[in-house]
Amino acid sequence: MTITKGQCSAIRSCSMKKEQVQHCQFSVWYPIFKQHTIKSVILPLPPDVIDYFLDDGTLVVPGSHHAAQQTHINSDLDEEEDIQAPEFPEFTAQVLEAINALGGLVFPKLNWSAPRDANWIALNSSLQCRSLSEIFLLFKSSDFITRDLTQPFLHCSDQDSPDPNISYELVLRKWSELIPGGEFRCFVKENKLIAISQRDYTQYYPHILKQEESILHAILDFFNQRIQHAFLDEDFVLDVYRDSQEGRVWLIDLNPFGEVTDSLLFSWEELRCGGGVGQQQEGPDFRYTTSEVTVQPSPCLSYRIPRDFADLSTGEDAYKLMDFLKLKKSQEEESSDEDVDAAH
Ligand SMILES: Nc1ncnc2c1ncn2[C@@H]1O[C@H](COP(=O)(O)OP(=O)(O)OP(=O)(O)O)[C@@H](O)[C@H]1O
Ligand SMILES: [Mg+2]
């Protein structure tokens, strides 16, 4: 596509501002759309917990006696030394209470991101958590979480303006079994729904092809009735889930309209500049994968090879692996203890 002069000015006028990123924090949009999304609890993150997430030292999981005893990297290699794992009793109590209130299983995220790149480290290879240790393990292993903490305003066009003040929060969402073929990403420009992409575009879902019209209508109705003009910005990206049994649409997440958000089956250039997208009178441009031939490797695949394991090949990081294995073991023991307790 050739970009004309007029379209180039559209790029500039639509470029993402820090304020837009600020508005897409969970605690900003959740109160507005609470009735249309998954039940969640927001807990302020104490500064010492944030420091702990960013500390790149050996993994230590608070609250686990097994993990509290670990090998100190700087000491004599054969020597075992007790290091007290950091404990955050007040915060731990708040998290446990929230997990209980949400039914015992939660999906964790920070102000914007979930640790999707770290699910390889979880016992069940998913982001489903039922304890603080599991949440800490995921957060400490995730580059997406580090990016939220250290570079929240990446790709913003107003880099010269001061960064808005961010209060970091742990978001716990009730665990919900979402079928990937029911997830769609919707691009909203000037309060108009211009484009919809299948979220898990690496897979072919025949039902989308068959139900194209009803999916499109369900999403459009949801947008028109529940979302349009209700948010703080007129450009944003919303993720929705269509329950194929009930046909009901739910809001999953709200994201900034810009490069920090994956444009999936579109490009940011065409979303910003038109190029046919959103120009039709009849409604949004709906893209989905139409055959097995186009199926691509999952974009998160590269994150599934643990960097800690890769580091091993250079011989630098053997202790990290040991820690990881200890944690796995202690988690397994904890869960088998719980199973025994539950049986009694
Ligand atoms: N409450 C939940 N229970 C189970 N799975 C969930 C839940 N919320 C989200 N998911 C799954 O996790 C995926 C990522 O969730 P979410 O969009 O909140 O993360 P994100 O970090 O904002 O992602 P992105 O970077 O793509 O915007 C969703 O596509 C969905 O499949
Ligand atoms: Mg998101």
Side-chain angles (χ1 to χ4, degrees):
M1 186 180 64
T2 2
I3 301 174
T4 65
K5 215 171 163 198
Q7 285 172 326
C8 279
S9 71
I11 293 182
R12 235 171 292 126
S13 64
C14 293
S15 57
M16 187 178 70
K17 303 278 190 307
K18 288 178 182 174
E19 192 186 56
Q20 286 172 277
V21 173
Q22 196 185 9
H23 289 164
C24 289
Q25 291 181 89
F26 191 85
S27 56
V28 175
W29 68 258
Y30 183 68
I32 306 174
F33 299 116
K34 203 172 174 172
Q35 288 167 324
H36 314 298
T37 190
I38 301 166
K39 190 179 172 197
S40 306
V41 173
I42 305 166
L43 297 172
L45 268 181
D48 51 352
V49 176
I50 298 177
D51 292 345
Y52 168 67
F53 287 157
L54 290 171
D55 176 15
D56 210 13
T58 329
L59 291 169
V60 181
V61 174
S64 154
H65 359 273
H66 305 278
Q69 198 184 43
Q70 62 160 345
T71 309
H72 197 288
I73 300 175
N74 298 328
S75 68
D76 187 334
L77 293 187
D78 295 330
E79 215 177 276
E80 282 262 323
E81 198 181 303
D82 273 3
I83 307 176
Q84 200 53 50
E87 301 274 350
F88 312 100
E90 211 176 302
F91 182 64
T92 306
Q94 290 172 1
V95 171
L96 292 181
E97 195 187 320
I99 294 177
N100 275 334
L102 293 168
L105 295 175
V106 296
F107 173 90
K109 62 189 295 188
L110 270 193
N111 302 42
W112 298 276
S113 303
R116 288 185 300 115
D117 56 331
N119 65 2
W120 57 267
I121 207 168
L123 275 182
N124 47 4
S125 288
S126 95
L127 298 186
Q128 186 186 77
C129 294
R130 57 195 173 121
S131 71
L132 186 62
S133 311
E134 287 172 322
I135 297 170
F136 277 173
L137 185 57
L138 284 168
F139 277 31
K140 275 186 77 67
S141 313
S142 166
D143 290 344
F144 294 176
I145 293 295
T146 307
R147 190 191 58 198
D148 268 19
L149 292 171
T150 58
Q151 296 180 288
F153 301 108
L154 193 72
H155 297 303
C156 288
S157 58
D158 50 348
Q159 283 304 329
D160 295 340
S161 68
D163 283 357
N165 204 21
I166 297 296
S167 302
Y168 279 99
E169 61 210 23
L170 172 66
V171 175
L172 300 175
R173 316 205 67 188
K174 188 180 172 65
W175 181 263
S176 317
E177 290 299 339
L178 303 176
I179 301 159
E183 294 189 74
F184 300 91
R185 177 157 279 183
C186 308
F187 300 85
V188 179
K189 191 163 101 181
E190 293 165 11
N191 259 319
K192 193 174 158 223
L193 180 52
I194 58 163
I196 303 173
S197 169
Q198 175 181 332
R199 179 103 189 250
D200 179 20
Y201 65 90
T202 60
Q203 298 300 313
Y204 165 55
Y205 296 104
H207 81 272
I208 301 183
L209 183 65
K210 282 193 214 120
Q211 301 173 17
E212 178 180 348
E213 280 300 305
S214 58
I215 294 173
L216 189 60
H217 275 118
I219 295 178
L220 256 178
D221 282 353
F222 177 74
F223 174 74
N224 292 336
Q225 290 165 22
R226 314 288 183 203
I227 309 290
Q228 198 176 29
H229 304 297
F231 189 49
L232 305 170
D233 284 303
E234 52 175 27
D235 299 338
F236 54 96
V237 177
L238 80 156
D239 295 322
V240 298
Y241 182 71
R242 178 178 168 272
D243 181 328
S244 60
Q245 253 145 35
E246 291 178 26
R248 187 170 169 183
V249 178
W250 295 90
L251 174 61
I252 301 297
D253 196 21
L254 243 148
N255 311 281
F257 191 90
E259 275 73 5
V260 275
T261 303
D262 192 337
S263 54
L264 306 178
L265 291 169
F266 294 87
S267 73
W268 273 111
E269 192 180 276
E270 57 183 339
L271 289 166
R272 286 222 175 85
C273 300
V277 172
Q279 305 290 299
Q280 315 90 321
Q281 290 301 308
E282 61 280 8
D285 191 346
F286 183 15
R287 292 189 190 165
Y288 51 89
T289 301
T290 49
S291 72
E292 300 280 5
V293 184
T294 50
V295 168
Q296 298 160 38
S298 165
C300 257
L301 208 58
S302 58
Y303 297 112
R304 289 197 193 129
I305 302 158
R307 210 179 46 207
D308 298 334
F309 287 5
D311 289 345
L312 266 181
S313 59
T314 64
E316 284 167 12
D317 216 4
Y319 287 103
K320 210 159 192 178
L321 177 66
M322 285 167 63
D323 254 356
F324 170 75
L325 294 173
K326 277 186 194 170
L327 279 170
K328 281 275 195 212
K329 189 161 170 274
S330 73
Q331 279 194 346
E332 275 159 9
E333 281 170 9
E334 261 172 32
S335 61
S336 66
D337 284 354
E338 278 165 26
D339 291 347
V340 172
D341 288 349
H344 285 210

